[in-house]
Amino acid sequence: MLASVASATLLGVDGQPVTVEVHVSNGLPSYTVVGLPDTAIRESRERVRAAILSAGLEWPQRRITVNLAPGGVRKHGAGLDLAVALGILVATETLPPEAVRRTAALGELGLDGTVRPVPGTIALVDTLARAGVDRVVVPTGNAAEAALVASVCVRAAGDLASLCTCLADDVDWPDWPAPVAGPDGAGDPGAPPDDDEVDLAEVRGLAWARRALETAAAGGHHLLLAGPPGAGKTMLARRLPTILPELTPTDALAVTRIHSAAGRAPVGGLATRRPFRSPHHSVSVAALIGGGSSRVTPGEVTLAHRGALFLDELGEFPPSALEALRQPLEERVVRISRQADALTFPADFQLVACTNPCPCGLGPPWCTCTDAQRARYRRRLSAPLLDRFDLRVAVQPPEPGAPPGESSAVVRERVQAAVARQHARYCDHPFARNAHVPARALAELVPLSPDATDAWLGESDLRRLTGRGAARIHRVARTLADLDDTPEIGAAHVALASMLREDVP
Amino acid sequence: MTAAADATGPVPGHSPASVPPLTDDQVAVVALAGLETLGHRRIRLLCAHYPGPAAAARGIVAGTARAVLAPTFGTAHAHLLDPCCARWSRDLDLAATRSTLEQRAARVWLGNSPGFPVTEPLPDLPVALVAEGARADALDRPRVAIVGTRTATPHGLADAHDLAATLAAAGVTVVSGLALGIDGAAHAGVVAVGGTTIGVVATGLDVEYPRRHRRLYADVRAHGLVLGETGYGVGPTPWRFPIRNRIIAALADVVVVVEATRTGGARITAEHALRYDRAVFAVPGSRRNPAAAGTNALIADGAHPLTDWDEVLLALGMTPGARRTPPLRPVPDPVGRAVLAALGGEPASPEQLAARTRLDPETVALALTTLTRTGWITMHQGVVWPS
Ligand SMILES: [Zn+2]
């Protein structure tokens, strides 16, 4: 007899609906899976069989064929176990077919019949809801996450035996525990890299670089800090998460979805902070951009979606990795094609990087490098990549006795207000931050005051700005004005924006 | 070895008629100087042994030079003697050298002949000097060498340019090495006021090194001479640069070091100058500036600290000209004055200026923009330099 149960598999960070068809017929006992399964799915027989027996149910000593449709999509992981088990139970008439009608099942099975969590629940449930499923059975541990998708009825399953009882009568569904948020968003993608709570108040001096950091946070600009070792640039950059604006509800869902698909669901259910990813310079191109040999997984640029990607010691990253960053920086999505799959992952991140100022490490004004050495260094860092930074700041060690700066809370309040102003200004547009305003829309959307126009022409004249560089300074000037809560961009904003984009390194 | 020279063709700005015909000795000495690894010491040894360069060249071809040169190889390199002699004998091409010299309208001065640019019997002098350029009269004027590091700061470059322009305007020929950094700025300063200058090079005169200075080579040729002791076709060889510096020191009446690192070639030039009993000036710099470490050390060793360009003219026995008035600049507003005061004549980052003036970044940025436009400061790699 034939049974079919809806389920889903992950394709990158998105779900792909899968129909699990189980056919049980007379013949020599056997178990065959067809439809592009991976190794984990091929090995499902042992888990499914042990779980069914542990639940006190009957394992059919007959010929079992499992077909995973559509056949052209590669299926990954053990998340289809539960759907296969339910399919077998329906096919052997242990469960009535109505029990799984318009119902999808997600979950890995333990040998004792427990239903174990799977990665990417939110993406999978979202996909199933769009595919017209009314009810999704998920592991108890994923239920809170699944419930973030409002348009579908979520049912939790702790173990196979009780699930069968609930399904048969559609009553007594278990509750699931409320998500336990850790202290201050621990487990969030944007949580501080170590347990120590950090704050901008600990950074002495560096007024200029601090202003650049605040501007980057407020406008979504890419930021490069160039300075000698010990100048405090890394210390400053690591405090960016403490001043990043709140996630909007839509962004929170998008971030949660990505991190869940990567197997790192936020403890609190929904992500509350913007991601802050800081891969080491030994990171592979695949880990940075996305990819992988057996299954395409999102890279750091996608994990940093709607947040920040921090690259310390930019010059230490392999040139291939820096080169690979250009496409996602340009398009804010990352395109990966591998074998038959061509995938697009979201990658709308802001890039924050630190670098030595030059090969001698002293930096201006007392750098001892020749022009040729500096030019070689810039080539290594990739000139087109350096061009993408709206903010490029030379960081000098603070002078003795420099006072501590404002606390993160104070700065974040200004950032939040500046973000609100941008949202209001761009509500009718497909972008929300100053950094994303297209060059052709700048004059109309963010006009310069007459004063600023004069300053502007002067700067263009002095620095022989190219069109692209001019547009970047224009956008930063707008963010500076937003932080000042002034409707018009003033001459001082243009002057500072221009000075925050120096030719460093 | 003269292929490059033949391809270059005549050098512009020359009137071949003004160059006297070349003797066999003059051609031979340039041909010898074009042999790789022969070097100025061995050439001097050969010329002392034979009646003159032409005879020395014949000795190379005939093989009799082998015995003369054998002691210079020592026991460690004795096995190289025969291969070297064979190569020198093969590479020596007097006819090609003569045609190159004639085509390029080059001048050759032998060390023992009248007209040699250095009249004192200094140790280590080149056996001969080769020169190309439109202004042989550059040698007839008082000569001041301006040398320094290739990795100069904007202040160092500005000082070299300004000093060279001041001296050139007073009728002094500025001697330097056509290198990047201070050398280049000094030559450029002369060219800017139409003075005379001499570029002393360590390569063959047909090899323009560094390539970035090709335009400057042409300018120096038009405003003076490019000069050296190396034969045609010899490319940049590391050991030739420091020994070239002794020619700069020998040619100059006064040597000024503008910015020098502790170990750079400009220190070597200054040491040669002291050995040749030339007056040595050094421009003092900040103790934080690695490009001033060498000049400050020279001052500690007894070089004159140079703070007023006129002192160089006085050292030459010349009368300083009328004081040039500094360019008129609009008086800055109070914020601009505060920023300039915070700068204190030294380079500083905008951030340091904001910290010192306790002004917010926007205010400082606007002041810096205005000060840049009115010529009070220049911005370079994110650092503010007072002009
Ligand atoms: Zn350097």
Side-chain angles (χ1 to χ4, degrees):
Chain A
M1 138 142 221
L2 179 71
S4 87
V5 181
S7 190
T9 189
L10 269 182
L11 204 60
V13 296
D14 288 321
Q16 163 76 37
V18 173
T19 304
V20 177
E21 294 172 332
V22 180
H23 186 249
V24 178
S25 60
N26 291 324
L28 284 175
S30 69
Y31 183 91
T32 316
V33 186
V34 297
L36 279 183
D38 75 350
T39 319
I41 297 175
R42 280 184 203 291
E43 289 167 351
S44 67
R45 176 183 190 268
E46 299 311 319
R47 290 191 302 273
V48 172
R49 179 172 176 275
I52 286 179
L53 292 175
S54 297
L57 302 166
E58 186 204 348
W59 176 260
Q61 290 299 326
R62 294 156 75 185
R63 182 188 170 110
I64 305 170
T65 308
V66 178
N67 178 40
L68 308 175
V73 177
R74 190 165 286 279
K75 290 95 188 167
H76 301 283
L80 297 174
D81 284 1
L82 184 60
V84 171
L86 293 180
I88 290 171
L89 293 175
V90 171
T92 56
E93 294 172 7
T94 312
L95 277 176
E98 301 77 49
V100 294
R101 181 160 301 142
R102 300 180 69 77
T103 298
L106 300 170
E108 177 183 343
L109 286 173
L111 297 182
D112 60 353
T114 50
V115 182
R116 293 185 171 157
V118 292
T121 304
I122 187 166
L124 297 174
V125 172
D126 190 31
T127 300
L128 289 166
R130 284 167 208 272
V133 165
D134 291 339
R135 181 168 72 163
V136 183
V137 177
V138 300
T140 310
N142 293 132
E145 190 189 330
L148 295 171
V149 181
S151 57
V152 70
C153 167
V154 171
R155 293 295 186 207
D159 65 88
L160 188 57
S162 11
L163 172 62
C164 288
T165 318
C166 296
L167 275 173
D169 308 331
D170 194 16
V171 287
D172 297 334
W173 285 100
D175 289 332
W176 54 82
V180 192
D184 197 43
D188 245 17
D194 41 37
D195 294 335
D196 292 335
E197 188 57 29
V198 294
D199 196 282
L200 270 182
E202 298 146 4
V203 181
R204 291 184 168 272
L206 306 185
W208 219 259
R210 288 177 68 111
R211 180 60 66 95
L213 192 77
E214 178 178 338
T215 310
H221 305 284
H222 302 315
L223 166 67
L224 178 68
L225 298 170
K233 53 190 193 300
T234 303
M235 183 180 180
L236 195 65
R238 289 214 169 269
R239 280 155 180 75
L240 176 66
T242 65
I243 60 165
L244 284 176
E246 276 169 13
L247 277 171
T248 61
T250 328
D251 286 351
L253 204 59
V255 168
T256 309
R257 193 182 159 114
I258 290 167
H259 286 260
S260 163
R264 273 168 258 189
V267 178
L270 195 63
T272 56
R273 287 164 167 255
R274 291 181 182 268
F276 183 77
R277 305 291 305 179
S278 47
H280 187 255
H281 55 69
S282 60
V283 69
S284 69
V285 175
L288 187 63
I289 302 301
S293 49
S294 68
R295 138 167 198 227
V296 180
T297 48
E300 293 289 343
V301 294
T302 300
L303 294 173
H305 180 64
R306 300 279 191 238
L309 178 70
F310 172 46
L311 303 182
D312 202 359
E313 306 287 353
L314 191 64
E316 300 291 319
F317 282 80
S320 55
L322 300 183
E323 197 58 32
L325 278 176
R326 282 171 58 189
Q327 181 266 324
L329 277 174
E330 192 72 8
E331 302 182 37
R332 283 185 242 128
V333 294
V334 58
R335 300 179 193 286
I336 296 165
S337 52
R338 199 184 49 81
Q339 292 168 16
D341 307 334
L343 296 175
T344 304
F345 292 164
D348 178 14
F349 59 95
Q350 75 182 109
L351 180 61
V352 178
C354 290
T355 179
N356 275 337
C358 56
C360 82
L362 292 173
W366 305 131
C367 166
T368 58
C369 305
T370 61
D371 289 352
Q373 284 170 316
R374 269 198 299 270
R376 211 175 308 129
Y377 189 67
R378 272 195 297 273
R379 272 200 299 281
R380 193 185 139 64
L381 291 178
S382 154
L385 181 64
L386 291 177
D387 190 55
R388 298 266 184 311
F389 289 98
D390 291 355
L391 296 157
R392 291 188 304 228
V393 182
V395 183
Q396 297 287 328
E399 304 209 317
E406 293 168 309
S407 72
S408 293
V410 174
V411 177
R412 187 163 191 249
E413 205 166 299
R414 272 199 306 269
V415 168
Q416 199 63 58
V419 169
R421 265 169 229 124
Q422 295 169 61
H423 280 305
R425 185 181 316 125
Y426 305 132
C427 59
D428 297 334
H429 296 275
F431 44 84
R433 310 289 290 277
N434 290 334
H436 300 163
V437 181
R440 57 178 187 285
L442 278 171
E444 181 208 333
L445 275 174
V446 290
L448 298 167
S449 69
D451 267 6
T453 308
D454 285 352
W456 182 253
L457 295 173
E459 286 301 326
S460 311
D461 199 33
L462 274 178
R463 292 156 53 100
R464 288 187 289 281
L465 288 171
T466 62
R468 208 199 295 235
R472 291 184 191 281
I473 291 173
H474 194 149
R475 293 186 187 108
V476 170
R478 182 59 254 177
T479 304
L480 291 170
D482 282 333
L483 284 166
D484 269 0
D485 194 9
T486 49
E488 277 206 320
I489 301 175
H493 299 130
V494 170
L496 184 57
S498 157
M499 227 153 264
L500 290 176
R501 192 162 193 274
E502 284 300 340
D503 284 331
V504 289
Chain B
M1 70 170 188
T2 53
D6 293 339
T8 313
V11 181
H14 271 247
S15 46
S18 68
V19 181
L22 296 161
T23 66
D24 285 349
D25 276 342
Q26 283 173 317
V27 173
V29 81
V30 177
L32 289 172
L35 296 175
E36 290 286 351
T37 73
L38 190 60
H40 70 294
R41 290 214 172 78
R42 291 192 181 117
I43 294 176
R44 196 174 17 256
L45 191 67
L46 286 171
C47 293
H49 182 269
Y50 293 97
R58 285 193 295 276
I60 292 263
V61 176
T64 57
R66 184 185 181 282
V68 184
L69 294 173
T72 66
F73 280 80
T75 46
H77 300 110
H79 61 286
L80 295 174
L81 175 60
D82 283 322
C84 280
C85 285
R87 207 174 66 227
W88 291 330
S89 164
R90 189 190 68 215
D91 290 349
L92 190 71
D93 190 340
L94 295 170
T97 304
R98 178 178 286 278
S99 97
T100 302
L101 285 167
E102 283 170 359
Q103 193 178 12
R104 298 178 69 90
R107 289 178 174 76
V108 182
W109 294 286
L110 292 172
N112 54 2
S113 65
F116 191 75
V118 184
T119 49
E120 301 139 280
L122 300 175
D124 259 7
L125 278 187
V127 175
L129 287 172
V130 199
E132 294 174 4
R135 300 285 301 269
D137 62 312
L139 287 162
D140 305 335
R141 302 169 173 219
R143 302 190 287 242
V144 173
I146 300 176
V147 295
T149 178
R150 290 178 297 150
T151 60
T153 67
H155 271 171
L157 296 174
D159 281 353
H161 192 280
D162 195 33
L163 170 61
T166 305
L167 296 176
V172 171
T173 291
V174 173
V175 182
S176 195
L178 271 163
L180 297 174
I182 297 295
D183 287 17
H187 289 300
V190 175
V191 171
V193 298
T196 54
T197 186
I198 297 175
V200 182
V201 298
T203 62
L205 299 188
D206 53 340
V207 178
E208 298 188 340
Y209 177 87
R211 290 180 64 85
R212 198 135 34 105
H213 274 178
R214 293 187 79 153
R215 286 275 309 270
L216 189 62
Y217 265 82
D219 285 343
V220 169
R221 284 202 162 91
H223 288 85
L225 295 171
V226 178
L227 175 154
E229 63 173 324
T230 309
Y232 286 94
V234 176
T237 324
W239 61 267
R240 290 187 191 269
F241 286 91
I243 66 165
R244 171 273 313 262
N245 292 358
R246 82 192 195 288
I247 306 176
I248 296 178
L251 284 176
D253 302 303
V254 171
V255 173
V256 182
V257 188
V258 174
E259 267 186 336
T261 56
R262 203 166 277 282
T263 54
R267 289 290 308 271
I268 298 173
T269 311
E271 277 157 28
H272 286 303
L274 292 170
R275 202 159 55 92
Y276 292 161
D277 202 23
R278 305 293 193 239
V280 176
F281 285 91
V283 179
S286 165
R287 110 196 137 69
R288 293 165 185 244
N289 180 1
T295 35
N296 288 344
L298 278 172
I299 290 167
D301 290 348
H304 304 284
L306 181 62
T307 52
D308 180 347
W309 302 155
D310 288 347
E311 291 175 57
V312 180
L313 294 174
L314 290 168
L316 291 167
M318 298 170 71
T319 316
R323 195 140 282 287
R324 289 165 305 129
T325 46
L328 275 178
R329 298 164 176 157
V331 177
D333 63 2
V335 175
R337 284 203 296 276
V339 169
L340 283 178
L343 200 54
E346 289 263 330
S349 67
E351 183 167 315
Q352 287 167 326
L353 296 175
R356 291 175 198 166
T357 54
R358 306 203 178 277
L359 293 168
D360 64 86
E362 273 94 345
T363 310
V364 174
L366 194 56
L368 290 175
T369 306
T370 312
L371 290 172
T372 308
R373 217 167 300 150
T374 50
W376 285 96
I377 57 165
T378 49
M379 296 288 297
H380 181 72
Q381 284 192 292
V383 171
V384 183
W385 292 79
S387 293

